[in-house]
Amino acid sequence: MDIYHITLILKGDYTESDALEDRLYEAGCDDATLCFNGRTAYLEFDREAASARDAVATAIANVEAAGCQVAHSEQGGYVTLASVAYLSELPIKTLRAWANGQRGKKLEASFPAPHFGISSGSAVYYWPEVAAWLVKNGKLESRYLEVAQVVTELLPLAK
């Protein structure tokens, strides 16, 4: 069994309340921390499971059992380099160097290209692509990529 880190963003507006936290805990989210960014609630899970699929699927099911809906997960979406640093636990200075084409001799291929924010100077990358590159280059454990792949399957980006 491995521990998988999953961030699930809840759909809707929320305020901090013990009632929401209690509902989530009682529904099986006892391995998650409820967080807020303004009125956006999200859960930071460290879920022990036999596979990434089991971890993500049971986390989503537990959130839904609490009467909430999952809007998305950071592991299946677009991220800044600061988010990549957070998700990968790598220094942002190193990530910036790789993104700017400065790569070490041991790295394969170029860092994934940004998808958005190029003209504004706030580049946004697709986390599953970055995770795959980091795994390929030995900079990230494969379980992080596994979570990204499962999240993109179970919680596809809204079109």
Side-chain angles (χ1 to χ4, degrees), residues 116-124:
F116 303 104
I118 298 163
S119 61
S120 69
S122 300
V124 179

Side-chain angles (χ1 to χ4, degrees), residues 3-117:
I3 295 177
Y4 297 91
H5 182 78
I6 308 155
T7 303
L8 295 181
I9 302 160
L10 302 184
K11 185 180 265 186
D13 287 345
Y14 290 92
T15 57
E16 295 185 44
S17 77
D18 291 335
L20 175 60
E21 188 170 14
D22 291 344
R23 264 190 7 239
L24 289 162
Y25 183 88
E26 290 167 9
C29 299
D30 55 339
D31 55 351
T33 302
L34 176 61
C35 306
F36 290 87
N37 183 346
R39 295 182 61 86
T40 301
Y42 62 98
L43 292 159
E44 295 279 356
F45 284 88
D46 284 315
R47 180 144 291 193
E48 187 174 6
S51 69
R53 175 170 295 287
D54 289 346
V56 174
T58 59
I60 292 169
N62 293 152
V63 168
E64 291 173 349
C68 300
Q69 290 182 317
V70 176
H72 200 60
S73 170
E74 286 190 347
Q75 284 90 348
Y78 295 96
V79 293
T80 63
L81 283 180
S83 294
V84 172
Y86 172 75
L87 291 168
S88 66
E89 299 179 2
L90 290 168
I92 194 164
K93 182 178 178 179
T94 301
L95 292 165
R96 276 195 192 110
W98 292 339
N100 290 327
Q102 303 164 3
R103 53 187 181 106
K105 296 176 185 175
K106 296 181 182 180
L107 298 178
E108 295 183 30
S110 297
F111 194 81
H115 285 254
F116 303 104

